[in-house]
Amino acid sequence: MISPCSPSLEPPIPPPQTPASQAPIIPPPPLPPNLPELAFPPSPSSLQTPIPPPPPLPPPPPTTRFSPPHVFGLEKSQLLKEALERAGPVPRSGEDVKRLLKLRKNRFRSDLQWILFCADLPSLIQEGPQCGLVALWMAGTLLAPLSGTPLERLVQVAMERGYTAQGEMFSEVMVKAKVIGVDSRKPLAWCQAHSAHSFCVCSVPAVTDMGRLAREALGCQAEVLYGGLGGPNRDHVLQHLVAGHPLLIPYDEDFNHEPCQRKGHKAHWAVSAGVLLGVQGMPSLGYEEDPELPGLFHPAPGTPRQPPSLPEEGSPGAVYLLAKQGKSWHYQLWDYDQVRDSNLQLTDFSPSRAADGREYVVPVGGVRAGLCGQALLLRPQDSGH
């Protein structure tokens, strides 16, 4: 029996709760002064991360007084230079030539003694249709070595004369453009659209226009050679190279950059500033044998020398050219007759280009008139002929 005075066993019913939204906000009582410092958990509001200020605006681009014309290959060339610097030092020209001769020594005739004449050429990688300008720039370092002529200067002169729009040469195209009434001061659309690895006439300027550009931009002598590199021109070319002067040569370029015969479909420019001569007997004055390559001789520096007897044209494998072009950093060694034959068959425009649906302007006389059997011999202005 449960007493009426005993507490109820059921839990008391709590009073109804007022909704939180309607509950009165009672401020906490103030803390008494001089309380010891206690560690309190942070309030929920203090856990919110403050919004960071916006990042500062990027600085404005630097202002320059002069904006040079865009040059194809300048950016790529700089990137390649930086990559080579990270990979290791670029070999000097003498080291590169010696490496090349060691690799090719088995092709040299053992019944001959060999004399190497080779000027020091720098390298420059092209991008797009710049092979002529790049070859001319490399040659220019031998014609004005103290001051030099930057590639931008060659491009600037070519642009002012209407040869180029952005570095690609229009010299052959301009002749035809004037004949057919096209405004030759404006770049042709098809030249802007072609790829860096394709051939077009504008990428291989006529030899005569290259000569005019060399005279004006480099202040040098420029002799256009007609009739090919053989016959009566052969000794003239070899004596030019023995004297240390550069030679610009148009030729058909094979997959490994060596001369081939594609009837002008792969026309390209190279510069030669060296020659390797195979002779029956060594001159008695002014030469010294290479300590690493027996049978190879160099002109002794600072010593008068007797000119060598030039090999006869009918003697195969007795003359090699050392050349550079805008698609490799290294010297290349080419049989003279191979270069002569390639230069002498530059006759046609590429059929694949003629059938690709685009409009092309072929120069007056075609590739045959502008390139075939021609070369450019360059000398310093104060040099005797």
Side-chain angles (χ1 to χ4, degrees), residues 72 126 128-132 163 167-173 188-206 252-253 264-269 327 348-354 356 358-363 367 371:
F72 284 124
Q126 71 180 72
Q130 267 195 329
C131 57
Y163 298 151
E168 73 282 16
M169 294 294 293
F170 286 105
S171 52
E172 288 187 64
V173 176
L188 304 181
W190 64 269
C191 290
Q192 294 176 330
H194 73 269
S195 66
H197 299 289
S198 63
F199 166 78
C200 70
V201 177
C202 71
S203 68
V204 186
D252 263 341
E253 178 201 16
H265 302 174
K266 299 293 184 181
H268 192 48
W269 277 94
K327 298 180 183 179
D348 300 333
F349 185 69
S350 172
S352 62
R353 286 291 163 190
D356 65 4
R358 299 179 182 178
E359 294 183 3
Y360 292 88
V361 181
V362 181
V367 176
L371 299 176

Side-chain angles (χ1 to χ4, degrees), residues 25-274:
I25 301 175
I26 302 174
L31 295 175
N34 302 326
L35 269 180
E37 294 184 1
L38 299 176
F40 291 98
S43 62
S45 61
S46 66
L47 293 177
Q48 298 178 359
T49 305
I51 300 175
L57 296 176
T63 58
T64 57
R65 296 182 180 178
F66 173 72
S67 178
H70 176 73
V71 180
F72 284 124
L74 204 58
E75 299 86 353
K76 180 178 179 181
S77 178
Q78 183 63 33
L79 291 174
L80 289 174
K81 287 178 182 178
E82 293 175 357
L84 284 175
E85 288 174 358
R86 291 193 296 268
V90 178
R92 298 174 60 88
S93 292
E95 298 171 354
D96 194 34
V97 171
K98 185 166 290 189
R99 174 198 62 83
L100 180 60
L101 294 179
K102 288 180 178 179
L103 289 175
R104 303 294 182 86
K105 63 181 180 180
N106 292 332
R107 71 162 59 179
F108 304 139
R109 288 170 49 180
S110 59
D111 61 319
L112 300 176
Q113 291 180 305
W114 297 88
I115 309 176
L116 175 65
F117 300 89
C118 189
D120 191 2
L121 273 180
S123 299
L124 183 62
I125 299 296
Q126 71 180 72
E127 181 181 7
Q130 267 195 329
C131 57
L133 291 178
V134 167
L136 184 58
W137 178 87
M138 289 190 279
T141 61
L142 300 179
L143 304 168
L146 296 180
S147 58
T149 301
L151 182 63
E152 295 92 332
R153 169 62 178 162
L154 298 179
V155 174
Q156 179 184 2
V157 175
M159 290 177 66
E160 291 173 354
R161 300 297 171 265
Y163 298 151
T164 181
Q166 300 185 46
E168 73 282 16
M169 294 294 293
F170 286 105
S171 52
E172 288 187 64
V173 176
M174 286 305 156
V175 177
K176 183 62 175 178
K178 294 176 182 177
V179 171
I180 64 176
V182 177
D183 186 354
S184 62
R185 294 168 298 176
K186 296 180 180 179
L188 304 181
W190 64 269
C191 290
Q192 294 176 330
H194 73 269
S195 66
H197 299 289
S198 63
F199 166 78
C200 70
V201 177
C202 71
S203 68
V204 186
V207 177
T208 53
D209 288 332
M210 285 286 285
R212 285 193 286 266
L213 181 60
R215 293 186 194 99
E216 180 174 357
L218 302 179
C220 65
Q221 300 180 38
E223 176 190 356
V224 178
L225 189 75
Y226 297 96
L229 302 177
N233 289 335
R234 183 174 179 273
D235 286 359
H236 183 44
V237 170
L238 295 182
Q239 291 167 356
H240 180 84
L241 294 172
V242 167
H245 302 318
L247 170 71
L248 294 184
I249 316 163
Y251 72 103
D252 263 341
E253 178 201 16
D254 211 345
F255 69 94
N256 58 357
H257 313 307
E258 292 193 1
C260 65
Q261 298 185 39
R262 298 290 187 272
K263 297 183 179 181
H265 302 174
K266 299 293 184 181
H268 192 48
W269 277 94
V271 54
S272 175

Side-chain angles (χ1 to χ4, degrees), residues 298-330:
H298 306 269
T303 304
R305 66 175 183 265
Q306 178 183 354
S309 299
L310 299 178
E312 297 181 359
E313 187 167 10
S315 179
V319 180
Y320 293 89
L321 295 183
L322 282 116
K324 283 189 174 182
Q325 45 78 44
K327 298 180 183 179
S328 173
W329 290 95
H330 297 290

Side-chain angles (χ1 to χ4, degrees), residues 275-300:
V275 61
L276 182 65
L277 301 176
V279 297
Q280 295 288 347
M282 281 297 302
S284 58
L285 181 65
Y287 300 89
E288 56 188 15
E289 190 170 10
D290 191 285
E292 299 181 31
L293 293 171
L296 175 66
F297 293 82
H298 306 269

